[in-house]
Amino acid sequence: MSESLIKIHYHDNIATLLLDRAEKRNALTRGLLGELNQALTDLSEEKKTRAIILSGAGPSFCAGMDLKEMAETARLPDPQGAWDADARIYLEVLEKILRLPKPVIAAVDGAAVAGGGGLVLACDLVVASKSAKFGFPEPRRGIVAGIVTPLLHFRVGSAYAAAMLLTGSLVDATYAYRTGMVHELVESEQIWARAHSLATECALGAPEAIALTKKMLNETIGDSLFSLLAAGAALSGTARTTAAAEEGLKAFLEKRDPMWDAQRSPEE
């Protein structure tokens, strides 16, 4: 039996969900996403759990999708179907966090990039270390942050979203705090304690009132968010079938710069 990729710890009425794939910077595989999805479902139904902290083991919060697994998918009989399924499960996880009737606080140390950054954006509150890094480098891999784009726009607005998505650059925690992506900055050793303190404050509210407040924030005010996320999932799956994606993923695995011009036909 394989070891669980998600750890759950309880402290009073607060649950901590830990992405536990530290040796791979907690990169998101199908297995990890499936376990995370199930854990969120279970915690949603637990009356004793009043708030949830999401964090990552080791020096990184989450490096995004496992690009090695993504590249291996290209060799399957139906890669398009597999990529579409991957996009759907990631979308389901983000939607579950957004719709969860309990507050979810991200405790971020190290890098939270690409799909890892999307997990942070789905959370209600974010506590980060001063050494945390954030970014969406998908275009540099020839792929598209289709699901994350509307969520980033929803959280920080079009100007910051454009800067982060088009440049693909990593930004530091101070920049992320300025955009509103991060709510509080603390020292690394204080991240979980501060996240737990915020979770405890949230748990003082009536569960029904908290659930309705989240619904108003994410579904009423953000009435078009979920349809945009679904459209982004379809775009993300399609983008992985392009020649640019093939070259970008190959370059990443070979530890070299991608050669975009080589993807063009002579007529271009």
Side-chain angles (χ1 to χ4, degrees), residues 168-256:
S169 299
L170 288 181
V171 301
D172 61 24
T174 301
Y175 182 96
Y177 177 75
R178 190 163 68 244
T179 69
M181 185 176 178
V182 169
H183 296 87
E184 294 193 21
L185 292 178
V186 296
E187 300 298 334
S188 292
E189 61 271 17
Q190 299 172 334
I191 295 172
W192 184 87
R194 182 53 186 152
H196 187 269
S197 177
L198 283 173
T200 302
E201 288 182 47
C202 292
L204 295 174
E208 296 83 356
I210 292 293
L212 289 172
T213 299
K214 277 199 63 171
K215 187 176 181 66
M216 183 181 298
L217 286 169
N218 296 336
E219 298 180 49
T220 303
I221 297 173
D223 61 345
S224 63
L225 177 61
F226 291 95
S227 61
L228 291 172
L229 289 171
L235 182 64
S236 180
T238 300
R240 296 181 194 183
T241 68
T242 64
E246 181 180 0
E247 167 60 15
L249 294 175
K250 185 177 180 182
F252 174 80
L253 295 174
E254 294 176 355
K255 297 180 171 35
R256 61 171 174 81

Side-chain angles (χ1 to χ4, degrees), residues 13-249:
N13 57 357
I14 310 301
T16 298
L17 269 176
L18 190 70
L19 309 179
D20 194 25
R21 201 171 175 239
E23 74 285 357
K24 297 295 183 182
R25 298 185 299 153
N26 300 315
L28 302 172
T29 60
R30 297 181 187 104
L32 191 153
L33 284 170
E35 287 189 31
L36 179 57
N37 195 30
Q38 186 59 55
L40 290 166
T41 298
D42 294 343
L43 290 173
S44 177
E45 297 169 356
E46 285 183 2
K47 289 188 177 180
K48 68 176 182 179
T49 300
R50 298 289 303 280
I52 298 165
I53 298 169
L54 179 63
S55 194
S60 293
F61 176 82
C62 178
M65 299 301 173
D66 189 308
L67 296 184
K68 183 177 179 182
E69 184 180 76
M70 193 184 296
E72 289 171 350
T73 301
R75 296 193 288 271
L76 295 177
D78 179 20
Q80 175 70 70
W83 282 322
D84 287 342
D86 291 345
R88 285 196 299 273
I89 184 62
Y90 179 65
L91 172 63
E92 188 173 341
V93 167
L94 295 191
E95 288 191 340
K96 192 153 290 182
I97 296 172
L98 290 163
R99 295 184 190 274
L100 204 77
K102 304 171 185 185
V104 183
I105 295 95
V108 184
D109 198 12
V113 299
L119 291 179
V120 173
L121 290 166
C123 292
D124 302 295
L125 297 171
V126 180
V127 179
S129 73
K130 295 175 181 178
S131 60
K133 301 285 185 182
F134 303 86
F136 304 95
E138 283 89 339
R140 298 188 182 190
R141 307 284 180 250
I143 53 181
V144 177
I147 303 173
V148 171
T149 294
L151 189 51
L152 181 63
H153 188 283
F154 179 64
R155 293 299 194 201
V156 306
S158 60
Y160 283 122
M164 295 181 73
L165 290 164
L166 295 177
T167 66
S169 299
L170 288 181
V171 301
D172 61 24
T174 301
Y175 182 96
Y177 177 75
R178 190 163 68 244
T179 69
M181 185 176 178
V182 169
H183 296 87
E184 294 193 21
L185 292 178
V186 296
E187 300 298 334
S188 292
E189 61 271 17
Q190 299 172 334
I191 295 172
W192 184 87
R194 182 53 186 152
H196 187 269
S197 177
L198 283 173
T200 302
E201 288 182 47
C202 292
L204 295 174
E208 296 83 356
I210 292 293
L212 289 172
T213 299
K214 277 199 63 171
K215 187 176 181 66
M216 183 181 298
L217 286 169
N218 296 336
E219 298 180 49
T220 303
I221 297 173
D223 61 345
S224 63
L225 177 61
F226 291 95
S227 61
L228 291 172
L229 289 171
L235 182 64
S236 180
T238 300
R240 296 181 194 183
T241 68
T242 64
E246 181 180 0
E247 167 60 15
L249 294 175

